[in-house]
Amino acid sequence: MTPRLPLASRRNRLRRTGTAAVLALAASTLVACSSDSEATSGEKPTELRLAIGGESEEGYDPTTGWGRYGAPLFQSTLLTRTADLGVENDLATDYSVSKDGLTWTVDIRTDAVFSDGEPVTSADVAYTFNTAAKAGGLTDVTGLDEAVAIDEDTVEMRLVEPRSTFVNRLISLGIVPEHAHAGQGDAYAQEPIGSGPFTFVDWQKGQQLIVERNDDYYGTKPDFERLVFVFTDEDASLAAARTGEVDLVALPSSLATDEIDGMELEAVTSIDNRGMSLPAVADEGKKSESGAPIGNDVTSDVAVRRAINLVIDRQGLVDGVLEGFGSPATGPVDGAPWYEPRSAIDDNDPDGAVAELEQAGWIDSDDDGVREKDGVKATFNLLYPAGDTLRQGLALSVVDMVRPAGIEITTEGVSWDEIDKRLHTDAVLFGWGSHDPTEMYNLYHSSMAGTDLFNAGFYSNEIVDEHLDAALAATDPEVANQHWKDAQLDTDGNGFTAPADAAWAWLVNLEHTYFVDQCLDLGELHIEPHGHGWPITSSLTQWRWDC
Amino acid sequence: MAVGLLNGPPLTVGRLAGRLARLLSLLVAVAIGTFVLLAASPIDPIEAYVGADSASIGTEQRDQIAERWGLDEPPLQRFTAWAGNVVTGDLGTSQVFNEPVIDVIADRFMASLSLLVLAWLLSGVLGFALGLLAGARRGTWLDRTLTWWAYTLASAPTFWIGLLLLYVFSVSLQWTPVCCAGPIGALPGEISLLDRLHHLILPALTLSVVGISPVLLHTRQSTIETLASDHVAFARSRGERLPGLVLHRVARNAAAPALMLQFAGVGELIGGAVLAEQVFTYPGLGQATTTAAMRQDIPLLLGIALFTAILVFIGNLLGDLAHRAVAPQTREQGGDASRSESRGELRDLAREQVTP
């Protein structure tokens, strides 16, 4: 036994140093805790901590796309969206569009200053738009020919062609100061200056962004002196919420079923949707510019597309796949001001689907459960990006739902690369949802067929094209909205939605789930676009602490 | 190690030139290999950049982005242009971070360095000590537990261990922070050394797991072999007993494979850092690698691949030198020409370890 002793004592020494390490650790935890409680003690915390993702790795420069949805924080925009996606003035006091739709004249307020004390001028606005048009970033200002400052507080934007959706650039493009942006290279993006509700304090890349209230802001001043955005992954975000280190956290609905002490679940309506594109032309051996084959002999029959739309139980998908966090989708823009409510159908209707199919000649003559017509079996593939469990769940449920109608769908989880090659011959489970109705144009206008992922099914209807063109060319927002609605379903019964051409089978709109501190009142939340997390900041200045 | 450098076979100019030539050819191979793999990757960098906002970015704008990044040219041309710039010391600009690649790597590596060093020391010291213990106590419950533990660790994914530690120590016990390299909301100037250490513990512990098992198992094996050797039997016959035996007769022999593995494992450590940093939101090179990979940031990924290749090469070189310094028999036999059999095996082993 003797020889063991020294080793044992060595081990004890090891254990002692281990204990010392744990003690040191515990001590530092205490230090950390005490400093934390100092920061958050008192009735009303001055610092708000959010784990909602949204780090802009390339920096905070609006001309390359920063702040295109949600709040640009540091900068302010000419117009903003209201909670129901209406439009109201921000930096602009008024705007008008010329009769030919080519010239947009914007009047700006004169009391706005950048956080370095310089006033916001019409020259800054013109500079911002002209720079963004050439920047090759994530804000598409390609429709702009040039922006010119006419006088102190008026800017004229001259467009290449009439485009009603240009209003979205006035809404999403934060104005940068020419004096601090021009010739600065990428330095501006690292330390932005603007006229927004917050000023930049510090950005620890990959970790957190710290901002402070801008007391010179012309609009409603935020309730919080300081905001900290923590850029954690889902799991660390959930951990941070459980330990009370963050006040607001964005989590996928699959993680939203747990309870977290002191926090409430908030499910925010969105137009973040999921739906199936269905090839609308028959297979005639044609190929797209990139060499991908086009056409599907089953889904090209409008009766099949309508039957699919009729038979799917969308509420069932919401309950079964989304855990209730969503709503049935009738089109790509549900709930937006340019949404046509008449396009909604009564789904979960197998009888209606069967009637539609039989009338079109789809009969199950060999009694194998799948209908045929002219020797073609009612069967096709449905692709979804592999690894997207939500879309996988939806796809598998859809297969079960259409089977009773005699349609057989085979699902395949594949890479986007593979989808790129097959999206014109197979159905694809896409997700879209933008605050910009340009998306509708891209998805359904015949000129967009085969461009990127747009109009994957080569859908084409002259009347729909006319409505979409008219919507883009309109100079009045109300008129534009009416044309957008007509494209979905006009009074003559033409349109791309389920009651007419049923070009797609839209399935669900997601609800974005957040855990929010019980004491944090988020006010009226905006309908969110595709993209969960950062968009919730669009109403940031209205948030209040109510405990 | 310094002793090894002095006492070992002299590092002649010719040998150094040979090493450099090998490094250069390695870098060329890594660059070409990485580029070919990336070019064949299914991720479209523009689609990944546009992300959720897909439909509001039109074709014309996409062309602009491609032009800004130089993606409008064919792959071969892009590669030769890149290689030409690299020769002049310009690694290009990261698409994701919109900063020179060299700056991104420098910034991120500084953050990773403390994590890597701590994890490296932890895995080396723990692995070696526990390996000696298991070897010396061969066949006992202690040996069986340690061996079982080592196999479990070796087969457990790093991120899973990270999540486990996160939930136990950060959420349940609340001893450690959930994320980042400093407290949430603190400015860089306000973060103390203690804070930094506190935030380093869990990621370093997670990362050290990558290296513990091989070191432990190999140390155990060589401890067992040495304990069975003649010179130990001789020492035993002179009355030396276990702890002294292990410390004086075995440790030095067992240290050779441990050191070799430890240095050769640098590559694996960097690979593990990718996952560990992701779990703990630790802003190092690993996290940057993940971001770059998700977004198909070819200049940054190429830069990181070259940089880590150099690190792994240096690791192997140091392993060689350290091994030579510690294991007397290789020094006596001298030179690369005549290696002992065990050394040959070790080199094979080391080679297996370099892939991150």
Side-chain angles (χ1 to χ4, degrees):
Chain A
M1 284 312 279
T2 26
R4 293 193 180 193
L5 267 173
L7 233 180
S9 71
R10 240 184 110 71
R11 206 159 58 208
N12 277 341
R13 214 180 307 153
L14 256 178
R15 196 183 298 153
R16 268 202 298 280
T17 47
T19 322
V22 170
L23 280 179
L25 199 151
S28 61
T29 318
L30 283 178
V31 172
C33 287
S34 61
S35 60
D36 275 357
S37 54
E38 263 164 38
T40 49
S41 66
E43 289 293 289
K44 202 172 157 185
T46 53
E47 181 178 285
L48 191 66
R49 294 167 169 188
L50 312 104
I52 53 173
E55 179 172 29
S56 174
E57 283 93 358
E58 62 176 340
Y60 301 94
D61 182 351
T63 63
T64 53
W66 159 246
R68 66 195 177 279
Y69 53 45
L73 296 180
F74 316 111
Q75 297 88 6
S76 46
T77 52
L78 294 172
L79 306 172
T80 53
R81 286 224 182 268
T82 56
D84 56 2
L85 303 187
V87 177
E88 63 183 18
N89 290 330
D90 194 329
L91 259 181
T93 52
D94 192 20
Y95 81 94
S96 60
V97 185
S98 68
K99 280 224 166 77
D100 61 4
L102 288 173
T103 310
W104 290 49
T105 310
V106 184
D107 295 321
I108 60 163
R109 60 197 304 154
T110 49
D111 59 345
V113 289
F114 291 113
S115 52
D116 61 357
E118 299 284 327
V120 181
T121 67
S122 54
D124 292 312
V125 176
Y127 169 81
T128 303
F129 275 79
N130 287 325
T131 308
K134 291 185 223 84
L138 287 181
T139 178
D140 188 343
V141 200
T142 48
L144 181 73
D145 181 28
E146 61 170 344
V148 182
I150 299 297
D151 61 40
E152 296 275 286
D153 58 357
T154 314
V155 189
E156 215 172 82
M157 318 240 182
R158 294 163 192 160
L159 305 195
V160 181
E161 55 188 4
R163 208 179 281 191
S164 64
T165 52
F166 190 71
V167 71
N168 289 293
R169 297 294 85 77
L170 308 193
I171 290 165
S172 62
L173 187 53
I175 303 304
V176 299
E178 183 174 7
H179 61 271
H181 187 280
Q184 296 295 309
D186 303 324
Y188 176 86
Q190 308 291 322
E191 211 164 320
I193 293 170
S195 51
F198 293 95
T199 56
F200 178 85
V201 176
D202 184 52
W203 175 27
Q204 293 156 43
K205 290 178 192 175
Q207 299 181 75
Q208 53 182 340
L209 170 71
I210 303 174
V211 305
E212 253 168 21
R213 180 165 61 200
N214 177 7
D215 287 320
D216 296 328
Y217 180 53
Y218 54 83
T220 316
K221 289 193 184 58
D223 204 20
F224 304 92
E225 275 173 27
R226 203 169 139 106
L227 300 183
V228 181
F229 296 93
V230 192
F231 304 124
T232 39
D233 271 5
E234 283 166 13
D235 294 295
S237 293
L238 183 60
R242 286 194 189 287
T243 55
E245 287 191 70
V246 291
D247 307 302
L248 174 67
V249 55
L251 287 173
S253 54
S254 55
L255 289 178
T257 45
D258 294 2
E259 298 241 327
I260 298 179
D261 281 346
M263 294 192 120
E264 271 167 11
L265 182 70
E266 184 95 49
V268 183
T269 311
S270 81
I271 48 175
D272 189 351
N273 48 38
R274 299 290 181 271
M276 288 196 286
S277 74
L278 299 167
V281 289
D283 180 4
E284 291 164 355
K286 285 188 191 155
K287 293 205 163 154
S288 72
E289 272 176 44
S290 62
I294 301 169
N296 183 305
D297 291 338
V298 177
T299 59
S300 58
D301 187 339
V302 66
V304 172
R305 300 201 302 269
R306 278 193 191 173
I308 293 170
N309 268 290
L310 280 172
V311 77
I312 291 172
D313 173 11
R314 292 171 175 80
Q315 190 59 46
L317 291 175
V318 170
D319 297 336
V321 184
L322 303 185
E323 321 253 2
F325 295 114
S327 59
T330 55
V333 294
D334 291 5
W338 43 90
Y339 166 60
E340 175 52 69
R342 286 188 301 118
S343 64
I345 51 164
D346 288 326
D347 65 2
N348 193 13
D349 178 10
D351 297 339
V354 167
E356 191 84 50
L357 286 169
E358 292 195 336
Q359 201 182 348
W362 292 91
I363 311 289
D364 183 10
S365 47
D366 55 3
D367 226 21
D368 63 349
V370 183
R371 293 170 188 276
E372 303 90 33
K373 179 184 176 183
D374 305 334
V376 179
K377 269 181 154 335
T379 169
F380 62 92
N381 297 320
L382 171 59
L383 311 181
Y384 61 87
D388 187 329
T389 49
L390 182 74
R391 291 189 207 192
Q392 181 186 32
L394 290 171
L396 293 174
S397 303
V398 164
V399 170
D400 291 339
M401 286 174 178
V402 300
R403 191 176 293 127
I407 298 173
E408 186 182 59
I409 300 181
T410 314
T411 59
E412 269 185 77
V414 295
S415 69
W416 277 110
D417 212 24
E418 177 89 6
I419 291 178
D420 270 341
K421 292 183 189 117
R422 293 171 58 184
L423 79 175
H424 309 317
T425 53
D426 296 325
V428 181
L429 224 166
F430 280 112
W432 298 97
S434 173
H435 284 174
D436 182 345
T438 307
E439 181 178 276
M440 198 194 301
Y441 183 93
N442 289 342
L443 293 184
Y444 292 108
H445 197 277
S446 60
S447 68
M448 300 307 288
T451 311
D452 298 315
L453 296 174
F454 305 144
N455 196 354
F458 276 71
Y459 170 72
S460 158
N461 179 332
E462 273 175 34
I463 298 168
V464 171
D465 279 357
E466 276 170 27
H467 288 315
L468 292 172
D469 287 330
L472 268 195
T475 56
D476 179 76
E478 287 307 315
V479 175
N481 283 350
Q482 190 52 52
H483 287 300
W484 291 123
K485 289 180 183 179
D486 287 346
Q488 292 160 64
L489 190 65
D490 66 14
T491 42
D492 300 330
N494 300 301
F496 61 74
T497 52
D501 291 342
W504 282 53
W506 288 97
L507 303 175
V508 292
N509 299 305
L510 309 188
E511 278 174 0
H512 292 155
T513 42
Y514 300 85
F515 277 106
V516 188
D517 192 294
Q518 278 166 351
C519 289
L520 184 61
D521 175 13
L522 299 182
E524 193 183 0
L525 286 166
H526 291 205
I527 297 175
E528 295 188 354
H530 188 91
H532 180 181
W534 194 266
I536 200 172
T537 58
S538 52
S539 59
L540 192 51
T541 52
Q542 273 130 51
W543 296 0
R544 293 287 174 266
W545 202 261
D546 66 355
C547 278
Chain B
M1 204 188 304
V3 179
L5 274 169
L6 293 173
N7 291 3
L11 263 176
T12 59
V13 177
R15 194 187 297 266
L16 204 65
R19 292 267 193 206
L20 274 178
R22 210 187 293 172
L23 175 61
L24 267 182
S25 61
L26 173 74
L27 291 182
V28 170
V30 164
I32 294 176
T34 313
F35 189 84
V36 168
L37 282 178
L38 289 176
S41 146
I43 299 175
D44 174 358
I46 296 178
E47 204 58 53
Y49 177 52
V50 170
D53 223 13
S54 195
S56 50
I57 305 289
T59 311
E60 211 177 316
Q61 186 69 17
R62 281 165 207 258
D63 293 345
Q64 260 193 29
I65 299 169
E67 199 185 314
R68 172 158 74 105
W69 288 345
L71 295 176
D72 46 349
E73 310 210 341
L76 189 66
Q77 215 164 323
R78 271 156 53 203
F79 183 72
T80 46
W82 174 83
N85 288 335
V86 169
V87 173
T88 66
D90 175 14
L91 284 175
T93 303
S94 158
Q95 292 160 9
V96 172
F97 298 99
N98 208 13
E99 278 183 296
V101 165
I102 197 92
D103 291 356
V104 177
I105 294 182
D107 277 0
R108 296 302 186 119
F109 183 64
M110 283 322 287
S112 282
L113 193 61
S114 48
L115 174 64
L116 290 172
V117 168
L118 195 63
W120 189 79
L121 289 176
L122 262 177
S123 65
V125 170
L126 271 180
F128 185 60
L130 295 175
L132 280 182
L133 199 62
R137 291 272 174 276
R138 184 189 184 186
T140 62
W141 63 268
L142 182 68
D143 175 34
R144 280 199 296 275
T145 313
L146 283 174
T147 311
W148 172 82
W149 182 65
Y151 281 124
T152 312
L153 283 191
S155 44
T158 314
F159 76 91
W160 183 79
I161 302 235
L163 283 180
L164 206 67
L165 291 177
L166 182 73
Y167 272 84
V168 173
F169 291 103
S170 298
V171 178
S172 301
L173 298 171
Q174 304 212 358
W175 287 359
T176 48
V178 290
C179 82
C180 315
I184 295 177
L187 298 175
E190 302 167 2
I191 304 173
S192 68
L193 190 66
L194 203 62
D195 279 334
R196 288 190 194 282
L197 273 176
H198 187 207
H199 284 78
L200 205 56
I201 292 172
L202 273 199
L205 209 60
T206 307
L207 189 51
S208 68
V209 161
V210 175
I212 284 184
S213 303
V215 174
L216 192 157
L217 293 172
H218 280 91
T219 308
R220 175 182 175 273
Q221 193 57 33
S222 60
T223 305
I224 291 169
E225 279 169 16
T226 321
L227 277 175
S229 70
D230 292 345
H231 79 278
V232 172
F234 178 66
R236 259 189 229 271
S237 72
R238 291 177 35 163
E240 286 189 33
R241 286 296 171 259
L242 248 190
L245 260 183
V246 170
L247 284 180
H248 300 129
R249 310 281 164 205
V250 179
R252 194 179 168 115
N253 279 312
L259 271 174
M260 189 77 181
L261 273 172
Q262 202 39 24
F263 280 105
V266 168
E268 256 191 33
L269 203 63
I270 294 171
V274 171
L275 299 169
E277 290 181 0
Q278 201 63 27
V279 172
F280 295 101
T281 325
Y282 198 86
L285 201 57
Q287 199 195 42
T289 312
T290 318
T291 315
M294 303 291 281
R295 293 263 307 270
Q296 183 84 338
D297 184 347
I298 294 185
L300 183 55
L301 283 172
L302 280 172
I304 291 174
L306 290 185
F307 181 73
T308 45
I310 294 175
L311 280 188
V312 171
F313 185 84
I314 293 175
N316 281 342
L317 189 67
L318 290 179
D320 249 14
L321 293 175
H323 183 264
R324 216 171 284 172
V326 173
Q329 70 274 22
T330 50
R331 193 164 65 218
E332 277 152 23
Q333 287 160 4
D336 289 301
S338 58
R339 292 181 189 285
S340 70
E341 207 176 305
S342 68
R343 187 162 155 72
E345 277 169 26
L346 266 174
R347 289 188 58 83
D348 290 341
L349 224 160
R351 219 167 279 135
E352 277 169 30
Q353 300 292 329
V354 292
T355 38

